[in-house]
Amino acid sequence: MGESRGAAVTAAGIVLGAGACYCLWRLAAGGRRAASGAARGTPSGEGNSPPASAHTMDADALQKLIHLLQATDDPLIQEQALITLSNSAAFSVNQDIIRNLDGVSVIGGMLSDCVPKVKEKALNALNNLSMNIKNQEEIQVYITQVCRNVESAPLNSDLQLAGLRLLTNMSVTSNYHHKMLNSIPCFLHLLSEGTERTQIQVLKVLVNLSASPAMTRHLLRAEVPSLLLLFDNCINRDILLRALAFAANLKKNMNHEDGTMIQDQYSKDSIFFTLCRDSTPFAQKLASLLHHPDTEVKEQVVRILTQ
């Protein structure tokens, strides 16, 4: 693997010159150090700060990396370039630079790549870039593709989680909720079948969507027979809190409806019948959760009961 990566970096240098080659060499060296640290038990995760070198890359170096993505079909080079761009995009000063260099569209084009790792790294880069409102305006054209990637990715895979993280950022405001409408059944399937990590991430998306009154009917029509299982004292606290927030948002928006909510529109397995239609099982779950030891959980339950 090390030999093939070294050959890829050398090839990139021939194509684009020493500047791009150095960027990739520096990243590869940093990756080896990170892997060594992980083997010793050094904490790692999506919240970790990117390497300091990513912040010091100037516009010329970033442009070389973007050109590199356009010039090569080698997945190893693509993956390393995307990691560097993702780390750079974690700094707000670089987010505008990358957008102005047409980096958003170049990275977005990688979402249709056939190599899962390349798509995953592209999603991570877009996720960091999406912290910028102007970048969101460009990224939103890829939401449908991101949803397709989430649906087609293996269950609980890093690719699927990367897509959900990007959709979480893109759903913080209601501007692009309509682009995720057709994926609601997929989100609820992941909520039922995914691991705890997947459930937490998909609930972040669902909570954001449920905050919008325009999405209420679409969510209430969706079917998820196992939803009640999430409202249990034994459930992971992060899952439980978000499931309660999801239910509270829907109840609040229903109360603000103009009275045209017709029960016949919803099936017996719909979220409407599970949470909203005088559901005795749900009421029993809430009553039990009033005795939960966590204060935030009890506050969310009270919020639902007083809607």
Side-chain angles (χ1 to χ4, degrees):
M1 182 69 172
E3 291 180 1
S4 62
R5 179 160 301 185
V9 172
T10 301
I14 293 171
V15 173
L16 293 176
C21 186
Y22 172 68
C23 291
L24 286 177
W25 172 84
R26 184 170 61 184
L27 176 68
R32 286 192 294 271
R33 287 193 297 270
S36 175
R40 294 193 302 270
T42 304
S44 63
E46 65 183 46
N48 283 359
S49 299
S53 59
H55 183 228
T56 59
M57 291 183 68
D58 57 19
D60 184 58
L62 290 170
Q63 186 171 47
K64 283 182 169 66
L65 283 170
I66 292 167
H67 286 169
L68 179 58
L69 281 178
Q70 295 174 300
T72 183
D73 293 325
D74 189 307
L76 286 176
I77 297 175
Q78 292 170 335
E79 186 180 342
Q80 294 299 318
L82 286 166
I83 291 172
T84 302
L85 287 168
S86 179
N87 288 337
S88 298
F91 298 97
S92 57
V93 67
N94 292 331
Q95 291 167 4
D96 290 327
I97 295 173
I98 293 172
R99 182 185 68 252
N100 292 334
L101 292 171
D102 202 30
V104 172
S105 63
V106 173
I107 296 169
M110 308 303 292
L111 296 179
S112 57
D113 195 277
C114 61
V115 180
K117 277 294 182 184
V118 172
K119 286 192 284 192
E120 177 198 335
K121 298 304 186 284
L123 287 166
N124 289 340
L126 291 175
N127 185 49
N128 283 345
L129 286 166
S130 70
M131 304 304 291
N132 179 304
I133 295 298
K134 289 185 178 179
N135 285 348
Q136 283 199 5
E137 294 172 0
E138 293 194 16
I139 293 171
Q140 57 94 11
V141 302
Y142 301 106
I143 288 178
T144 301
Q145 177 66 55
V146 175
C147 289
R148 283 200 294 264
N149 286 342
V150 169
E151 292 179 30
S152 62
L155 182 64
N156 305 317
S157 63
D158 289 339
L159 173 58
Q160 190 171 73
L161 289 165
L164 290 171
R165 282 193 293 270
L166 177 55
L167 293 177
T168 299
N169 280 352
M170 295 300 294
S171 62
V172 169
T173 69
S174 61
N175 295 345
Y176 311 117
H177 283 183
H178 63 284
K179 291 178 174 286
M180 304 179 201
L181 262 179
N182 292 336
S183 292
I184 288 176
C186 168
F187 298 152
L188 295 172
H189 171 73
L190 297 181
L191 186 60
S192 297
E193 302 297 329
T195 61
E196 288 188 349
R197 190 168 66 143
T198 299
Q199 288 178 313
I200 290 170
Q201 201 62 57
V202 79
L203 275 167
K204 290 180 182 180
V205 178
L206 289 169
V207 169
N208 287 347
L209 295 179
S210 67
S212 170
M215 298 295 291
T216 302
R217 290 172 184 262
H218 301 287
L219 289 166
L220 290 175
R221 287 193 189 103
E223 296 184 3
V224 51
S226 62
L227 184 61
L228 274 180
L229 298 177
L230 299 180
F231 301 94
D232 192 279
N233 280 293
C234 299
I235 288 291
N236 178 302
R237 175 183 178 274
D238 290 333
I239 294 174
L240 179 58
L241 278 173
R242 289 177 173 86
L244 288 168
F246 175 66
N249 285 345
L250 292 177
K251 294 276 283 187
K252 176 183 177 182
N253 291 339
M254 277 191 62
N255 291 339
H256 291 165
E257 283 281 342
D258 57 8
T260 60
M261 187 98 39
I262 301 172
Q263 293 184 10
D264 292 343
Q265 295 177 346
Y266 306 100
S267 71
K268 298 293 184 181
D269 290 328
S270 67
I271 292 177
F272 174 82
F273 269 79
T274 302
L275 302 183
C276 305
R277 188 185 175 274
D278 300 324
S279 172
T280 300
F282 184 50
Q284 291 172 341
K285 292 280 190 181
L286 293 178
S288 176
L289 288 172
L290 283 173
H291 303 286
H292 196 281
D294 188 90
T295 302
E296 285 187 66
V297 169
K298 287 185 282 193
E299 288 174 352
Q300 285 286 3
V301 172
V302 171
R303 180 185 169 207
I304 295 172
L305 293 173
T306 56
Q307 294 286 357

